Amino acid sequence: MTDTQQNSRIEGDDYVVSDAERAHFAEHGYVHLRGLLTEEEVATLEVDYDRFLRREIDVPGKDFCDMAGDYGREPGDYSIVNVMLPRRYHPSWQDNVYERRAASVARQLCGEGMTLDYDQLLAKQPYKEDAVFAWHQDMAYWPDTPDTRTATTWLAIDNSTVENGCMRFAPATNHESELRPHVAQFGDRGESHALGTDLRDDDVVVPVPILRGDVTVHNERVMHGSGGNTTDGFRRAYILAFRSEDTVKIERELGFTHSHNDDDEVLGAVGVEGQTR
Ligand SMILES: O=C(O)CCC(=O)C(=O)O
């Protein structure tokens, strides 16, 4: 029997999300889904994932960078290796099994009319205590649009643990009426991409360790971040963000593609300090 047959929640390109999981996503702004991909499926993706890390697949300019430092760092020193838009630079990934199954999850969590907006790899190198992903709400990075529905699936390529820097969420912060004010983390936005905002005293923090092949899915407003990697292994994640077709159309008309090589003026127009929308 194959892994796929063993996991009764996988039906070809679909993954069956339960009512309880849908309710958790709506209420808390995130949900953990077990076994979105089989071991065999993860192992296939992992081959190309590691080619990106070894720089055997060319990723131009700032789309290969460190999310825990500025653009001036040498790649060997990166704490969180960030590859933006891998499917653009490695077209054979387009329409892979993860994209297809995650699309079915996005549909079940957010409704019809969702489409893939961007993809991203985030790999924390071993023994990098500063591989900290600052607390943030994803909307702070993005232009404002009328339909903000978002399902961002975060696939664990390695078992993701508290020790290697798993995702952490502040549940229900997605219901706040205003976005929290975010500031650039390492110089201005020409020098680094990362934005962050402080936790508040009454925020509850929930670390969400997950297994290889599992995903967490989060929405556009929940506060989240992650801690450093104190282990001798990588913490590799593969992220797909699904947003409404209308939103993606507006973003592209603005020239906003989620590439860090997007025009500075376009990038400067979002993620500004003091933002509270
Ligand atoms: O991988 C991480 O630690 C953070 C990822 C994240 O913030 C995101 O996917 O929105």
Side-chain angles (χ1 to χ4, degrees):
M1 191 180 261
T2 65
D3 283 352
T4 312
Q5 286 162 327
Q6 275 168 2
N7 187 343
S8 58
R9 309 186 64 184
I10 296 176
E11 296 176 357
D13 286 346
D14 291 333
Y15 177 96
V16 180
V17 179
S18 71
D19 289 344
E21 288 163 340
R22 249 193 309 275
H24 193 285
F25 179 76
E27 188 178 341
H28 300 289
Y30 74 95
V31 67
H32 171 193
L33 302 178
R34 291 179 173 76
L36 183 83
L37 293 190
T38 67
E39 170 52 35
E40 202 183 336
E41 289 163 346
V42 178
T44 301
L45 292 172
E46 185 178 28
V47 173
D48 285 339
Y49 194 113
D50 286 345
R51 290 179 60 219
F52 276 109
L53 294 186
R54 292 194 300 269
R55 309 207 71 180
E56 291 167 13
I57 298 172
D58 189 40
V59 177
K62 296 174 182 172
D63 281 343
F64 190 92
C65 70
D66 187 0
M67 281 305 278
D70 61 35
Y71 288 127
R73 268 194 180 171
E74 286 301 313
D77 297 332
Y78 287 1
S79 293
I80 309 179
V81 180
N82 177 31
V83 177
M84 286 312 297
L85 310 182
R87 72 197 304 274
R88 176 189 285 186
Y89 304 120
H90 184 54
S92 69
W93 257 11
Q94 292 172 17
D95 199 37
N96 69 39
V97 64
Y98 173 38
E99 290 191 358
R100 298 194 304 272
R101 217 164 276 149
S104 101
V105 167
R107 203 166 45 241
Q108 292 171 78
L109 293 177
C110 295
E112 293 302 320
M114 301 296 284
T115 190
L116 182 57
D117 187 6
Y118 70 91
D119 58 342
Q120 180 177 15
L121 310 180
L122 285 170
K124 294 188 183 185
Q125 302 226 61
Y127 296 126
K128 290 284 189 187
E129 289 192 25
D130 72 337
V132 172
F133 209 113
W135 284 96
H136 66 280
Q137 297 164 294
D138 287 342
M139 269 311 297
Y141 280 92
W142 303 336
D144 204 7
T145 52
D147 179 354
T148 63
R149 285 177 300 151
T150 305
T152 300
T153 58
W154 189 105
L155 171 72
I157 303 291
D158 301 294
N159 291 339
S160 182
T161 63
V162 170
E163 293 73 24
N164 71 12
C166 66
M167 289 284 272
R168 297 185 297 190
F169 295 96
T173 44
N174 46 304
H175 299 298
E176 292 170 3
S177 58
E178 289 195 338
L179 206 58
R180 298 187 185 191
H182 287 66
V183 293
Q185 294 295 287
F186 311 101
D188 68 25
R189 292 215 87 203
E191 293 165 75
S192 88
H193 198 77
L195 298 174
T197 186
D198 290 332
L199 281 173
R200 294 182 181 156
D201 289 346
D202 57 347
D203 283 333
V204 175
V205 171
V206 180
V208 185
I210 66 174
L211 295 177
R212 174 174 162 98
D214 291 3
V215 289
T216 54
V217 191
H218 60 271
N219 75 7
E220 71 281 15
R221 289 188 84 99
V222 68
M223 283 276 289
H224 61 285
S226 61
N229 181 3
T230 58
T231 73
D232 60 1
F234 269 85
R235 189 230 68 176
R236 292 168 298 173
Y238 178 2
I239 294 133
L240 299 175
F242 292 84
R243 309 204 67 211
S244 76
E245 284 162 6
D246 285 350
T247 283
V248 174
K249 185 165 173 283
I250 294 168
E251 286 182 342
R252 298 302 178 270
E253 282 167 1
L254 291 170
F256 186 85
T257 70
H258 296 271
S259 169
H260 293 195
N261 300 321
D262 279 350
D263 197 89
D264 279 348
E265 246 176 63
V266 174
L267 285 175
V270 292
V272 290
E273 297 198 11
Q275 186 173 23
T276 53
R277 64 170 183 262

